[in-house]
Every structure is written in structure tokens, then in C-alpha cells.
């Protein structure tokens, strides 16, 4: 299932977004594979939702609720929203939820729906992106009010877990004093919502003020979403998982060349005191190096490592993935481990 249908809703539906949610009735909760934990590493002691079924984790404020649904054609969705808004929304929340509510919706297997009307632009990698993982620049979008304030994010991960099927994340920030207008393509005059047809070129405009407190909480949650490929991955921060911790570079940091990499990995990552690291852009390797142990590697404990990656041959900008691969002399897929952090290439 494609994550969205590339077509437009009628303006009637858009204006309905200010008072109704077009989501289907809530289905049964996903019965297994998920749990809630409270990791010590979250500086403000937020609880953490962790999906072992879809291999991601999401810290959230104490006063926010997490709910799981199956709806439509058995489509899984995870909603994260303020508990105070529970009685004013229809669950599950979708990309057409009422404008006055903030929420994050995670759709690991996609959801066939139209995207919201109004101004939008591609979501740019680097500082413009609210997440700390690589995104699909061609599909991801940020939605804007007429005052240029972002109110929504449609985020398609570039390298999601293997069992995500056309999955995406949609985040909405509450807008106060929300209203819409439709401008006639031919005359430039205001149209009644019943006469508005964006399919023929009429323009939908959104007005209001983004709730700054809600914005801060939504962005912080997005910044802390992290993926893991295995249920055995570490529950630590984005620099650690599957028996490896990367000290430098940090996720989303702007790197320079030659790129100095250091950290520690368990002895099982090494063979003859080495394993590999590659810098990838759009899934193509642009630089690589051999990681070398800085101490005795024949142990189950963590062993310090260092590596130096040369500058790429071509000039590239934006996000890239630093991919660590364990040494796997057996060649068996079940013994292969990878760990990825997202960095930003220098201008």
C-alpha cells in the first residue's frame, strides 16, 4: 500500500478539518509486541514507548497518551497525543485531524490517504528536519500556515526497519484561531467552500497561530524517535545499539574530512581486531574505512575503536548515513550486525 494517494481532497473536507476528524472508527488495539519503559537516559525522565514489533522507540511527556489501533484494512497506527485532548478527538487521529490538537501518528505499514491542502514544501535534510534519522527528501514534506509557520510534518524514513512497508510518520502542531480560505484561480476572489476545487487550480490558504508550547513538545519527541533493526538492540541513545556505542561523530552533527570516528564495540563485532564503516548518501557508499580495535579484542566486553574516513570524490550536501558493519567471517546473514547514525555533510 502506498503511503498516500497523490490526489487532492475537496475543499469541503479541508474546511471540515477544523471541526471533524475523517479517520475510520478505532479498531482493536495491537495485542502484542509493544511495551512502555522509562529509561534513565531521557534527561527529563519522560516515559518511553517501545515497539518491538516495528523496531522503534519514542519518549513522550508524562501527560501524553500512547494508543495502538488496527483500522480500515487491518492497518496499524500508533497515536501519541495529550491526554487532555482525548475527549475532543475521534481516534485514531489521521492526517486530517482537527487543527486544534497536537499529535504524532506513526503508520509502519502506510495508509492510503490524501495529504492536507494548503502550502507545503519539501522537507529539507539537515537543520530543517525535526528528526535524527535520514529521510526520503523526495517524499517528506512540511506544511505551512500563511505566516510561514510549520504546523505539520509528513516524514518518510530513508532507511526504516525492514518490516515497515511504505511507512511514514505524521506530526501535527495545534493551531489556535484556525481558519481557511479558498481563492478562485481565475478571478483571485474568495470562494465559498462548496465551490472550491483545488483540482482545477483554486488555492487553499490556512491561517492561525501555532501553539508554541505544543510545538516544543512535538519537536522534542520527533528528535528522539529512534529505530533499531533487532529486538536485541540497545535501548540507549541514537549512538548506541546492538553492542556498539559511537562517541564521535554525534547524530545530526556537521562533519568534516578526514572524518575521525571513535567509540567502542563488543568483541563480537571484531575479527582480527577490525570491522568496517561506510559513509552512504542515497544508499551509495561515498567514503569508507576499516575500524581498528585499540585494545585486545578477543573478549565479550566493549573494546575502544578508531577509524578515519577520507573525503568523498564528489561534492555532496545534506544528510548522509554512517553505517557500521560487524566482521562476519561466517558469512551467515543471522550473524550480520549493522548500526547507523545520521550526520550532515559539510557545505
Amino acid at each position: 500500500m502506498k503511503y498516500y494517494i497523490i490526489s487532492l481532497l475537496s475543499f469541503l473536507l479541508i474546511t471540515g478539518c477544523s471541526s471533524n476528524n475523517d479517520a475510520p472508527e478505532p479498531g482493536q488495539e495491537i495485542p502484542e509486541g509493544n511495551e512502555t519503559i522509562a529509561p534513565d537516559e531521557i534527561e527529563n525522565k519522560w516515559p518511553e514507548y517501545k515497539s518491538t514489533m516495528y523496531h522503534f522507540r519514542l519518549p513522550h511527556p508524562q501527560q501524553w497518551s500512547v494508543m495502538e489501533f488496527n483500522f480500515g484494512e487491518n492497518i496499524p497506527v500508533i497515536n501519541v497525543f495529550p491526554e487532555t485532548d482525548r475527549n475532543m478527538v475521534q481516534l485514531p487521529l489521521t492526517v486530517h485531524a482537527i487543527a486544534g490538537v497536537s499529535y504524532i501518528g506513526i503508520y509502519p505499514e502506510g495508509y492510503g490517504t490524501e495529504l492536507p491542502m494548503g502550502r507545503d514544501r519539501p522537507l529539507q535534510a539537515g537543520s530543517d528536519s525535526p528528526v535524527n534519522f535520514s529521510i526520503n527528501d523526495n517524499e517528506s514534506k512540511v506544511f505551512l500556515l500563511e505566516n510561514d509557520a510549520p504546523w505539520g510534518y509528513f516524514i518518510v524514513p530513508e532507511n526504516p526497519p525492514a518490516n515497515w512497508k511504505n511507512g511514514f510518520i505524521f506530526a501535527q502542531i495545534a493551531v489556535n484561531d484556525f481558519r481557511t480560505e479558498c481563492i478562485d484561480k481565475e478571478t483571485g476572489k474568495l470562494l465559498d467552500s462548496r465551490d472550491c476545487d483545488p483540482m482545477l487550480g483554486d488555492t487553499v490558504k490556512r491561517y492561525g497561530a501555532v501553539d508554541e508550547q505544543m510545538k516544543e513538545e512535538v519537536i522534542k519527541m520527533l528528535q528522539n524517535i529512534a529505530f533499531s533493526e533487532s529486538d536485541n538492540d540497545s535501548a540507549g541513545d541514537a549512538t548506541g545499539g546492538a553492542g556498539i556505542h559511537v562517541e564521535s561523530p554525534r547524530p545530526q552533527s556537521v562533519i568534516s574530512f578526514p572524518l575521525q570516528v571513535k567509540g567502542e564495540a563488543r568483541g563480537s563485532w571484531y575479527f582480527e581486531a577490525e570491522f568496517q564503516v561506510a559513509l552512504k548518501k542515497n544508499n551509495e557508499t561515498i567514503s569508507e574505512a576499516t575500524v581498528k580495535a585499540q585494545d585486545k579484542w578477543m573478549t565479550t566486553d566493549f573494546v575502544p575503536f578508531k577509524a578515519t574516513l577520507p573525503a568523498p570524490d564528489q561534492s555532496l550536501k545534506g544528510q548522509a548515513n554512517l553505517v557500521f558493519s560487524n566482521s562476519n567471517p561466517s558469512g551467515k546473514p543471522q550473524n550480520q550486525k549493522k548500526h547507523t547514525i545520521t550526520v550532515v555533510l559539510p557545505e
Side-chain angles (χ1 to χ4, degrees):
M1 179 179 293
K2 187 67 175 173
Y3 12 83
Y4 63 98
I5 301 169
I6 306 176
S7 61
L8 297 175
L9 292 172
S10 69
F11 188 58
L12 283 172
L13 179 57
I14 287 303
T15 54
C17 290
S18 62
S19 58
N20 294 290
N21 179 359
D22 74 332
E25 292 295 321
Q28 299 296 316
E29 289 193 8
I30 300 174
E32 60 183 29
N34 300 280
E35 61 187 48
T36 301
I37 61 175
D40 292 337
E41 70 271 10
I42 304 301
E43 62 180 3
N44 57 1
K45 307 302 181 185
W46 279 2
E48 181 180 82
Y49 171 85
K50 181 180 179 182
S51 172
T52 54
M53 180 181 296
Y54 291 109
H55 307 296
F56 74 90
R57 58 187 186 274
L58 170 61
H60 60 87
Q62 293 281 355
Q63 68 273 23
W64 286 56
S65 295
V66 181
M67 296 189 67
E68 306 160 2
F69 301 89
N70 276 331
F71 66 94
E73 299 177 4
N74 199 32
I75 299 168
V77 57
I78 296 95
N79 279 172
V80 188
F81 58 94
E83 178 61 30
T84 53
D85 290 342
R86 182 188 290 267
N87 294 329
M88 65 177 285
V89 299
Q90 180 181 350
L91 299 170
L93 293 157
T94 73
V95 298
H96 302 297
I98 58 174
V101 64
S102 296
Y103 82 99
I104 294 176
I106 299 174
Y107 305 82
E109 297 184 21
Y111 171 42
T113 185
E114 297 87 350
L115 294 179
M117 294 286 191
R119 292 181 58 198
D120 65 63
R121 60 173 171 76
L123 183 59
Q124 302 296 319
S127 60
D128 189 46
S129 174
V131 294
N132 284 325
F133 53 80
S134 184
I135 62 174
N136 184 320
D137 296 338
N138 295 323
E139 300 288 353
S140 301
K141 295 179 180 293
V142 56
F143 298 91
L144 306 170
L145 299 174
E146 288 303 305
N147 63 4
D148 291 330
W151 65 267
Y153 296 91
F154 177 74
I155 302 166
V156 181
E158 179 69 21
N159 299 297
N163 63 342
W164 279 48
K165 303 172 183 177
N166 296 322
F168 66 89
I169 298 167
F170 189 85
Q172 175 172 300
I173 303 167
V175 176
N176 301 319
D177 301 321
F178 176 71
R179 65 183 179 89
T180 59
E181 289 181 350
C182 184
I183 309 299
D184 184 84
K185 176 185 177 182
E186 301 296 334
T187 66
K189 296 182 178 180
L190 287 176
L191 286 173
D192 185 276
S193 63
R194 293 168 294 184
D195 300 322
C196 186
D197 192 345
M199 292 287 288
L200 297 180
D202 295 338
T203 300
V204 175
K205 295 186 176 183
R206 290 172 174 259
Y207 298 92
V210 167
D211 187 307
E212 291 299 324
Q213 180 180 348
M214 290 291 102
K215 175 182 176 181
E216 181 178 349
E217 293 189 346
V218 169
I219 295 300
K220 189 169 185 179
M221 281 188 284
L222 291 174
Q223 289 172 338
N224 282 285
I225 293 176
F227 296 112
S228 62
E229 282 296 341
S230 167
D231 293 346
N232 295 321
D233 282 359
S234 166
D237 64 17
T239 63
I244 182 172
H245 299 108
V246 182
E247 180 181 340
S248 178
R250 302 293 296 176
Q252 290 297 319
S253 62
V254 178
I255 60 175
S256 60
F257 293 103
L259 176 59
Q260 305 297 324
V261 175
K262 64 179 180 178
E264 60 180 6
R266 292 195 182 277
S268 58
W269 269 72
Y270 300 88
F271 181 71
E272 299 298 341
E274 296 178 349
F275 60 89
Q276 300 300 309
V277 62
L279 186 64
K280 296 188 176 186
K281 175 73 173 177
N282 299 325
N283 290 322
E284 294 185 3
T285 298
I286 59 175
S287 183
E288 57 188 337
T290 297
V291 175
K292 296 186 179 293
Q294 303 299 298
D295 203 343
K296 295 179 180 180
W297 64 278
M298 297 183 69
T299 175
T300 59
D301 293 334
F302 281 94
V303 180
F305 64 74
K306 289 184 179 180
T308 302
L309 283 76
D313 293 335
Q314 66 268 50
S315 177
L316 298 168
K317 296 188 297 184
Q319 290 183 330
N321 287 327
L322 195 60
V323 182
F324 297 83
S325 303
N326 72 315
S327 289
N328 181 17
S330 70
K332 295 179 180 179
Q334 63 267 32
N335 293 335
Q336 185 65 59
K337 299 177 184 178
K338 290 186 181 294
H339 178 65
T340 301
I341 64 171
T342 301
V343 294
V344 180
L345 295 169
E347 293 292 334

